[in-house]
Amino acid sequence: TKLFFARMKDAGFEVMGDDSHPICPVLLGDARLAQEFADDMLARGIYVIGFSYPVVPLGSARIRVQMSAAHSLDQVNTAVDAFIEVGKKKGVIS
């Protein structure tokens, strides 16, 4: 989780919560963007969930990432690399 948080924040993503908890919400704001982002991640072999209103407050749509001690460092890095690729494609990060 610490590696995921650090790399995601360094890349420019807004990751909510703290790096000691395995659930890592990545704030995107827009509901359609969150769903499309999740779909693009799945196309890259990374399963994440887009959450939007009414599950979360209006305007605070996010991607929910669940980390696990069973994930290898390579798997975490692959996931972050995919986030960076999709984030740049979608204009979330530069």
Side-chain angles (χ1 to χ4, degrees):
T1 302
K2 291 182 186 304
L3 173 63
F4 180 83
F5 257 77
R7 286 205 57 213
M8 290 289 286
K9 286 188 176 277
D10 286 348
F13 287 100
E14 184 176 347
V15 184
M16 303 167 72
D18 65 76
D19 67 3
S20 66
H21 197 279
I23 296 174
C24 310
V26 181
L27 186 63
L28 297 176
D30 181 74
R32 180 172 297 204
L33 174 61
Q35 188 56 54
E36 290 175 358
F37 203 109
D39 292 344
D40 282 2
M41 292 292 287
L42 186 57
R44 289 162 175 76
I46 309 296
Y47 182 69
V48 294
I49 300 291
F51 281 114
S52 59
Y53 181 83
V55 177
V56 296
L58 193 61
S60 63
R62 62 198 71 180
I63 298 291
R64 181 181 185 267
V65 179
Q66 174 102 26
M67 301 305 298
S68 167
H71 288 120
S72 69
L73 292 178
D74 285 342
Q75 289 171 320
V76 173
N77 282 316
T78 297
V80 174
D81 291 344
F83 262 100
I84 292 170
E85 182 181 340
V86 174
K88 287 180 178 178
K89 175 184 166 190
K90 297 286 186 191
V92 175
I93 58 172
S94 52

